[in-house]
Each structure stands twice: as structure tokens, then as C-alpha cells.
Amino acid sequence: MPNVSTVQSGQDKKRAYMIAGILMAIPFFAYIILPVYDRVDPQLFGVPLFYWYQTVWLAISAVLFGVAAFLIGRAKGGEEE
Amino acid sequence: MISASGGLPLDGFIVFIALFIVFAALGFLGRFFRKGDETQLHEWSLAGRKLGVFLTWFLVGADLYTAYTFIAVPSSLFAKGGIYFFAVPYVAVTFAVAMLMMPKLWTISKKKGYVTAADYVTDTFSSRTLGLLIAVTGIVAELPYVGLQLVGMKAVLTVMFPVNTGNLGLIINLALVASVIILIAFTFMSGLRGVSLTALFKDMIIFITVIVVIIAVPMAYGGFQHAFAAKTAFQTLSQPTFAVGYPTLWIGSALALYLYPHAVNGSLSSNSAKNLRMSTALLPVYGIGLAFLALFGVLIYAVGPALSYVNSFGSSGGVYVVPALILYTMPSWFAGFAFLGIFIGGLVPAAIMSIASANLFIRNVVKPYKKVPLEPKRETFWAKIATIIFIFLAVGFTLIINDTFAIQLQLLAGGFILETLPALFLGLYWPKLNKHSMMVGWAVGMILDVYMMLDANKFGQIATSFYTFGKLGTSEILVFVGLFAVMVNVIISILGTFLARAMGVRNSKDEVPT
């Protein structure tokens, strides 16, 4: 088990922030490509793609953001308290 | 299930009232939760900055996903279709914005003892005038928002009574005032501690309701195919009319949410920046409930009796979509349970919004201009009094003006709050922004926002926040006014800062009294 409070080097921190930034930006791109998901088919339980695509991305966003929050929190250690 | 005359049967009422008593008890008992000295403002209004990941998640969730959201989004979807599903990308992306901003604001606020966003702005830019602008904008934007919670609560109460009940309007207003008085009593005594426990209770009820209804109704009424078949125009967004309008609407809204005082207030009650970041990251999960509720706006087309109930109100019937769908499809005890969830879903945010507005008013409007310094205990006392006044103002506001007008004010105010973005969000990463540029940016953005909103609605009733920017082929290009206005504001703030620096002007340090 890695120790969460371990202080990371500057380079590790930079990398953690970069990965977190990418993870946080992914949902934005998933939603900005409107023409891709503004369709009826394929349907899920009778719900058109337009609706279920955006709903499923809420769950994915939470996972991506959660990982990003973990990475940032670990990189910062206790410096922001 | 109910008879044709409508109204919630007795067992539903009993469940509703019993759960309301539990809600009030939690509110009063909340003061003993991680007890603190409630005469200190940060103890009373931020629960002593002691909430962990779990409670912050529930509190901010209850705070952001309000009764009005739960009523208005399905109502608009029911009337206008897919464009109102913008609420979904909005509540996904807004939390990425919040993760960048709120933990940073939390850390500096804890260190310097800030309670409001305007405290931060005043201190960072050495300008109580800019702080005042931010505070007043926040209060003005917040007031119609509190008022709309009561619109949502009214919709639930209306559906609970049979259509032909005498003096229905009076009964509903009395019930609203009575519940608001209870809310005020426990908010006064328990502050945000009480509110956060009731938030947990509210969220549980809402989640159970949404999950049960979204599974049970399609199963009993021929699935979503049936509902969407009855309303084929709603199956997608009507492209290309909204090709620009849809993204600008959710991007603008996503930027705006965490500028609202209640969102900042909820965030600052976290016990650490790290926990705040994690609980914010997980808030899109709450949005799944909102997405399902939004779909109620289509689902109702498959439920004949509920649809004819809503249509009996004419064009203003949309607000009854969610309560009517629940009433006409679920057992009455369950409807009572669900209605209470939506009802207190208005009370909980109304309390937080009023606390946040009161803090802004006392700390950033009154205090900096008082000759005699305000002691902490008196400051807290006056913040409590101001909270009560704000709640009553909002109640009075909804009792006097009609719901349609309240919704128009909210549309307008949604653009106002965006104009605080440079000082708060840009300022967190770039504290050297020039304060005068931001004031000019704020003023230009504000004027632009109001003018374009009025122009877009042909200086009549405000029904849209889209401005038409010419035509692309045969379809119009629509842009969300708020986003356009804040872009102009941001450009002015940045260019002005460069200009000021080129001229050797820096933000002076002398204006703020300590």
C-alpha cells in the first residue's frame, strides 16, 4: 500500500495534475459532440440515444472526477489544510 | 392510485405529515450534532467547517438539486422537449469547474476566516467596492431562486388537494407559511448543522422515489417506447436550431452554478479541501436522479389520467407533471412519502440560500461601511435576523407575484450571477487582475445581459434566454445570452488588467479596513 501522505516530487505532482486535468476534461468532450448523440437509435429500454447517452455519462463523469480528486488530493498531501 | 376527482387520500396525508414532523425534529436536534458555539458566524452558517465527504455530498447535493429543479426541468421538458435535457450535461460539467475552484477557495477562506465569496474578493483585490458589487449581485440573483423553491412546493400541495377544494389558494399559502416558520425556527437555533441533517433525510426520500417511479411506471404503462411514440418530436433535439444553443446553455449554466452564494456556502462547510474535492467529484451521481425526473416529462404522455389532470390547468399545468405522475401511478402512502421529499426539497435549499444571502448582506454590504466595528457575536445575531428577513421576503415575493413572473426573474438573474465570474473564478488563479477593469467588465456584462434578454424577448414577457445571432442556411443560430455577456466581461477584465499594468497601475492595498 502506498502511503497517501508521502510527499511527491515536483515532477510526480505535475504528472498527477496533468492526468487529473485530462480526466476532468473528458466529460466536456463527451457532451460537446452533440451531433454524435442527438439521435433516436440505438435505444435503451425504449429511451432514445439522446437521453440515455447523456445520463450514462453522468455516472462515467463521477468515476473520472473521483479518480481525479484522488490524484490531486494525493499529490497535494497536506499542503492545503 | 386515486379516483377521478383527484387529491391525495388520507393515508398519503398521514405519511406526509408524519415525515414532516421527523424533518422538523432533525432540524431542531441538529444543533447537538458536532456541537459548536453557535454565536460564532462560521459555526452557525458553515456548521463550524466540520462536514466530511459524506455529509458535504448530501448537503451540497440537497442544496443544488432543489425542489424547483425537480419541478421545473420535467415541466419544461414536458412542454418544450429535449432542449431542457441541457440540465444533464450542465450538472456533469459544473462539478469539474467546482473541483478547480472550491477547494482553493476553501483553503484560503479557512486560513483568513472568510465566510463569503465577497470576503475573498474584497480582501484579494483590496476593494470593498468590488466586494459590494459581488455581494449585491449574489443577493439579487439568489432572491428569485429562493422564491422559486416555494413555487415548487406549491405545485406539490396543489396536487394533494382535490381539484374542487374551496379556498385552495388560501389553504396552500397558509400551509407554506406554517412550514416556513418551522424552518426559520430550526434554522435560527441550529444553523447549518440542522440543515445538513435534514438534507440527508430529504435526499434519501428523493432517491427512493425516483428509483421506484422510473422502474414501476414504464413497467405498468408499456415502457418508454409508448411514451416516446406519443411524442415523437421529443425523441431528439430539433437540430440544427439548437446546435449552438444547447452547448452554450449548458456551458453557461455549468459556469454559473458555483458562483451562487448557496453553492459557495455549502462548499465552505466542508472539513477539508481534500474532502470537499472528493465530495464535489461524486456529485454528478445525484444528477442521475435529476435525469430520471426529467424523463418524467415524457413518461407522463403514456399515463392518460395524469396527462389530462396536467392539461386541465392549460398552459401553466407543466409544474404539476411530477406530482401528478406520482399521484396517478403510485399507492397513496407512497405518493405522500414522495411529495414530502419534494416539499422539503424546497425548504432545505431555501434555508441555505437565505443564510448565504444574509451573510453577504451583513459582512459585505453593512459591515464594511459601518463606523463602529461589528463584534463577532453581534454579527452572528444580525446574520440570523437577516436570514429570517430574506426567507420572508422570498415568501412574500411568491405570494404577491405570479409564478410565470417569478420564473422570468429567475431567467434574468441567472445571467446576473455569471457576471461575478472574473472576480471569483479568474481571481482564484490570477489575483493580480485589476479591480477597476473587473468593475467595468461587470457593468458592461450586466447591461449587455439585460438588454439582450429584453431584445431576445421583443421587450415582452421573458420566455427565452437565447439570442438569435443571424441565420445559418435556413435555421437560426441561437446563443445563451448569459454566456455571451460573461465572455465580454472576461475579455474586458483581462484586457483592462494588461492595460493597467502597462500604465504601471497596481491594485492598491489601502482601501480595505481590517
Side-chain angles (χ1 to χ4, degrees):
Chain A
M1 273 296 281
N3 187 349
V4 175
S5 62
T6 310
V7 180
Q8 296 187 338
S9 71
Q11 202 157 22
D12 283 349
K13 259 189 190 177
K14 230 180 200 168
R15 188 171 339 130
Y17 291 156
M18 215 171 70
I19 296 170
I22 292 168
L23 294 177
M24 284 161 67
I26 290 173
F28 178 87
F29 291 105
Y31 285 116
I32 205 76
I33 50 171
L34 177 62
V36 172
Y37 62 84
D38 189 18
R39 302 163 198 271
V40 181
D41 292 313
Q43 299 184 20
L44 185 69
F45 302 115
V47 178
L49 177 70
F50 177 71
Y51 294 95
W52 71 257
Y53 173 93
Q54 299 188 72
T55 308
V56 166
W57 267 98
L58 282 172
I60 302 173
S61 300
V63 173
L64 297 175
F65 294 168
V67 175
F70 172 76
L71 291 176
I72 299 171
R74 194 176 59 174
K76 284 198 188 283
E79 69 183 53
E80 46 184 359
E81 303 313 323
Chain B
M1 307 263 193
I2 53 144
S3 63
S5 68
L8 183 66
L10 186 64
D11 56 344
F13 266 95
I14 293 171
V15 171
F16 185 94
I17 291 166
L19 289 175
F20 187 83
I21 293 168
V22 175
F23 163 77
L26 280 173
F28 283 110
L29 293 175
R31 62 197 312 231
F32 301 111
F33 176 71
R34 294 178 192 168
K35 203 165 169 31
D37 176 6
E38 301 283 354
T39 62
Q40 296 290 314
L41 191 58
H42 72 102
E43 286 289 347
W44 180 74
S45 69
L46 299 178
R49 304 185 212 260
K50 279 183 198 144
L51 305 182
V53 175
F54 181 75
L55 267 180
T56 308
W57 190 86
F58 277 102
L59 178 75
V60 180
D63 184 15
L64 300 183
Y65 297 97
T66 65
Y68 177 64
T69 325
F70 288 154
I71 295 291
V73 173
S75 154
S76 308
L77 200 83
F78 165 78
K80 305 263 173 67
I83 177 74
Y84 281 95
F85 215 60
F86 85 91
V88 169
Y90 154 35
V91 299
V93 172
T94 197
F95 298 114
V97 175
M99 281 171 71
L100 293 175
M101 304 300 168
M102 291 299 121
K104 217 172 158 83
L105 183 65
W106 186 94
T107 303
I108 186 161
S109 297
K110 173 86 191 278
K111 204 162 87 191
K112 305 226 174 163
Y114 305 149
V115 176
T116 68
D119 285 349
Y120 165 78
V121 170
T122 305
D123 200 24
T124 306
F125 302 108
S126 311
S127 169
R128 61 181 183 181
T129 314
L130 190 61
L132 178 72
L133 282 183
I134 301 301
V136 171
T137 314
I139 293 168
V140 168
E142 200 79 298
L143 201 58
Y145 213 159
V146 187
L148 283 178
Q149 301 312 317
L150 296 151
V151 172
M153 289 157 65
K154 260 203 253 183
V156 169
L157 290 176
T158 305
V159 173
M160 285 170 68
F161 291 93
V163 185
N164 51 5
T165 308
N167 287 330
L168 185 56
L170 184 68
I171 294 173
I172 287 174
N173 287 344
L174 285 177
L176 272 184
V177 171
S179 52
V180 164
I181 288 172
I182 293 169
L183 175 78
I184 285 173
F186 77 62
T187 305
F188 193 91
M189 288 173 64
S190 313
L192 202 72
R193 283 186 170 77
V195 177
S196 59
L197 289 192
T198 58
L200 185 69
F201 181 64
K202 171 227 156 183
D203 289 345
M204 296 292 188
I205 296 178
I206 294 275
F207 287 144
I208 294 171
T209 302
V210 170
I211 292 167
V212 169
V213 176
I214 206 76
I215 295 172
V217 175
M219 277 173 68
Y221 293 84
F224 272 103
Q225 290 95 333
H226 189 52
F228 276 106
K231 205 72 193 169
T232 46
F234 284 8
Q235 289 183 338
T236 57
L237 203 57
S238 48
Q239 283 263 43
T241 320
F242 291 126
V244 180
Y246 191 77
T248 55
L249 186 55
W250 65 254
I251 292 168
S253 308
L255 290 174
L257 185 62
Y258 272 86
L259 295 168
Y260 274 105
H262 62 279
V264 171
N265 195 88
S267 298
L268 293 186
S269 64
S270 174
N271 64 358
S272 78
K274 195 169 151 185
N275 287 345
L276 172 60
R277 189 180 297 108
M278 184 52 85
S279 73
T280 307
L282 302 178
L283 275 169
V285 173
Y286 211 127
I288 298 171
L290 175 63
F292 286 164
L293 270 167
L295 287 173
F296 283 20
V298 180
L299 206 49
I300 195 167
Y301 285 102
V303 183
L307 187 61
S308 48
Y309 174 84
V310 169
N311 285 335
S312 73
F313 289 90
S315 64
S316 64
V319 289
Y320 306 112
V321 164
V322 169
L325 188 67
I326 292 170
L327 184 67
Y328 283 90
T329 57
M330 293 287 141
S332 50
W333 64 267
F334 186 84
F337 170 85
F339 288 173
L340 183 93
I342 302 173
F343 188 77
I344 61 176
L347 286 174
V348 173
I352 306 172
M353 289 170 183
S354 303
I355 290 174
S357 302
N359 285 345
L360 283 171
F361 183 71
I362 298 300
R363 288 180 66 89
N364 310 107
V365 179
V366 176
K367 196 179 171 187
Y369 296 92
K370 258 176 70 84
K371 292 214 173 69
V372 193
L374 199 58
E375 292 166 43
K377 274 191 181 177
R378 297 206 56 78
E379 183 183 22
T380 311
F381 174 75
W382 284 111
K384 288 180 181 181
I385 299 295
T387 302
I388 296 173
I389 294 170
F390 275 110
I391 298 182
F392 273 119
L393 267 179
V395 175
F397 168 85
T398 37
L399 295 186
I400 293 164
I401 66 168
N402 65 33
D403 295 358
T404 324
F405 190 59
I407 293 163
Q408 294 184 56
L409 282 179
Q410 159 69 3
L411 275 176
L412 207 54
F416 293 170
I417 198 70
L418 266 172
E419 302 307 328
T420 63
L421 184 142
L424 188 54
F425 284 179
L426 288 187
L428 276 169
Y429 285 87
W430 195 20
K432 290 194 171 140
L433 272 172
N434 179 270
K435 59 187 177 187
H436 295 112
S437 315
M438 282 188 284
M439 290 178 205
V440 174
W442 176 89
V444 173
M446 222 42 146
I447 293 167
L448 204 58
D449 189 72
V450 173
Y451 178 78
M452 287 172 75
M453 282 294 276
L454 294 177
D455 193 28
N457 292 282
K458 302 189 173 58
F459 296 88
Q461 205 179 70
I462 296 169
T464 179
S465 37
F466 286 124
Y467 194 84
T468 309
F469 275 84
K471 283 190 171 186
L472 190 73
T474 52
S475 57
E476 293 170 323
I477 304 167
L478 302 177
V479 173
F480 174 49
V481 170
L483 186 65
F484 180 79
V486 74
M487 295 301 248
V488 174
N489 179 351
V490 165
I491 292 167
I492 292 173
S493 301
I494 293 174
L495 289 183
T497 300
F498 284 128
L499 192 69
R501 289 164 77 87
M503 287 162 37
V505 180
R506 296 276 190 277
N507 288 335
S508 50
K509 278 278 165 209
D510 52 21
E511 203 193 328
V512 179
T514 43

